[in-house]
Amino acid sequence: MKGLVFHGPGQSAWQEVPDPGIKDPTDVIVRVDTVTICGTDLHILKGDVPEVRPGTVLGHEAVGEVVEIGGDVRTVRPGDRVLVSCITACGRCRYCREGAYGQCRGGGGWILGHLIDGTQAEYVRVPYADLSVHPLPSTLESKDAVLLADIFPTSYEVGVVNGHVSPGDTVAVVGAGPIGLAAIVTARLFSPERIVAVDLAPARLEAARRLGADAVADAREDPAQLVADLTDGLGADVAIEAVGVPESFELCTRMVRPGGHVANVGVHGGPATLHLEDLWIRNVTITTGLVDTRSTPTLLRMAAAGRLPTSSLVTHVFPLDAMEEAYDVFSRAADTGALKVVLGGPRHDVVAVPAA
């Protein structure tokens, strides 16, 4: 088969790789129909995630068809269309029993495209399938469902839930890329008074408005002052960091109110300064987190019911073998306007020919 292989910082290639096979009785093999590219994949290519070894197939999000199952798999069978979660869960360790699947100690957690071969390929092996793949309703299109593998549960759990977004809150979302936009969508489920989106790109700020932001701010034009003006000097109840650079994290700590929450979602490749000389007296709670995906079944039901505008985030669609072109477009989002790029689509092995 072919897959997108990491060869070291700045180097990757769509190339032939060995077909995956069942290694453990809890495994399934999924034929990949649809994948997307995550900002974390770009961090890997920059060298920000040194645990990823050269030779690894990248990717941790997919929709596809189960083609083979191990002897202990009970929840899916060959022919099932499934969502492959970005997080793998053994279901038995202490963290999994607490629902903290991202911290799995039994061989799970974030392993796809990180510690083992991932989803940006024609086939993928998924360990611990009973908790790590989700059967999909026929009404949910693949290009919509694939966004529930990572960005929606990540934004919801690590941003909105960890940030304790509540009715009447002012929520500041710093970074209006895919994660930030999904945070805006899911924050609205809790009826905040206002959501303020901050970014450098006018196109992303416009997307934030379309998806529910009440105000937007250019990151270069003192967004902390805008938040202060909107809240009579109080500050944001919740500041969600959705970029992963020191400047955005430090901006969140400046715009949050005393007693508020800073929820860091972004993947950081370098250190950020924690200004405790200012924060120690302000009763601020700062959370970090890797997504657990315990919310995925709920989000899937909401998407199937039309309650999550997933399609609005997809700006570019490519065939699966155009992986390198898709990476180029996604990595130059400021120039291309890319939000989420989706590759592939459902395959049709049997073509129905209408009767004459």
Side-chain angles (χ1 to χ4, degrees):
M1 71 170 188
K2 286 193 172 182
L4 194 282
V5 180
F6 174 68
H7 289 294
Q11 303 177 63
S12 64
W14 178 254
Q15 65 183 68
E16 289 190 1
V17 292
D19 293 344
I22 297 291
K23 292 185 177 180
D24 298 302
T26 56
D27 291 350
V28 298
I29 306 298
V30 174
R31 184 182 69 178
V32 174
D33 292 331
T34 306
V35 298
T36 185
I37 302 171
C38 180
T40 304
D41 297 321
L42 299 183
H43 280 281
I44 292 171
L45 285 175
K46 287 169 59 180
D48 290 345
V49 189
E51 300 85 2
V52 182
R53 296 180 178 179
T56 302
V57 175
L58 296 183
H60 49 267
E61 307 157 89
V63 168
E65 179 184 329
V66 175
V67 295
E68 187 178 356
I69 66 173
D72 289 349
V73 175
R74 297 291 180 266
T75 60
V76 294
R77 58 186 181 181
D80 285 351
R81 178 171 165 263
V82 297
L83 173 71
V84 178
S85 175
C86 67
I87 296 296
T88 303
C90 79
R92 297 190 299 268
C93 71
R94 170 178 173 173
Y95 287 111
C96 284
R97 288 177 180 271
E98 295 172 353
Y101 305 131
Q103 304 301 322
C104 175
R105 299 294 297 274
W110 173 36
I111 57 173
L112 291 171
H114 180 205
L115 305 179
I116 66 172
D117 285 339
T119 60
Q120 289 171 3
E122 294 175 317
Y123 292 85
V124 62
R125 177 180 73 92
V126 184
Y128 299 120
D130 282 339
L131 283 173
S132 307
V133 300
H134 302 270
L136 290 173
S138 59
T139 55
L140 192 57
E141 292 190 28
S142 296
K143 68 180 179 63
D144 297 326
V146 74
L147 301 190
L148 300 174
D150 185 352
I151 67 163
F152 270 91
T154 294
S155 300
Y156 177 65
E157 294 176 14
V158 185
V160 175
V161 175
N162 280 5
H164 292 268
V165 174
S166 301
D169 278 355
T170 291
V171 180
V173 179
V174 179
I179 288 289
L181 295 174
I184 290 168
V185 169
T186 51
R188 284 178 58 84
L189 300 174
F190 291 84
S191 300
E193 179 181 356
R194 64 176 66 86
I195 299 174
V196 182
V198 179
D199 204 282
L200 293 168
R204 291 194 165 190
L205 293 176
E206 180 56 34
R209 282 194 183 277
R210 291 198 308 269
L211 289 167
D214 302 286
V216 299
D218 188 310
R220 293 161 292 204
E221 297 179 0
D222 199 3
Q225 185 60 53
L226 172 64
V227 171
D229 292 344
L230 291 171
T231 58
D232 295 325
L234 188 63
D237 299 281
V238 184
I240 297 175
E241 196 286 325
V243 182
V245 297
E247 294 82 2
S248 57
F249 174 77
E250 292 169 30
L251 173 59
C252 286
T253 64
R254 292 197 303 273
M255 63 172 50
V256 71
R257 69 167 174 82
H261 289 77
V262 173
N264 184 90
V265 188
V267 177
H268 289 263
T273 301
L274 181 62
H275 288 283
L276 285 177
E277 73 277 12
D278 298 322
L279 294 171
W280 74 270
I281 201 171
R282 294 175 56 203
N283 294 25
V284 171
T285 299
I286 299 173
T287 56
T288 65
L290 176 65
V291 64
D292 295 313
T293 67
R294 62 181 179 272
S295 67
T296 300
T298 298
L299 295 173
L300 278 171
R301 291 195 300 272
M302 295 182 67
R307 297 293 302 276
L308 292 177
T310 51
S311 295
S312 301
L313 274 70
V314 177
T315 54
H316 296 73
V317 180
F318 298 87
L320 191 63
D321 60 4
M323 191 70 68
E324 290 168 315
E325 180 185 356
Y327 261 89
D328 177 63
V329 168
F330 186 60
S331 67
R332 295 186 298 107
D335 300 322
T336 63
L339 293 176
K340 288 299 284 183
V341 301
V342 170
L343 298 96
R347 305 181 189 185
H348 301 284
D349 296 325
V350 178
V351 178
V353 179

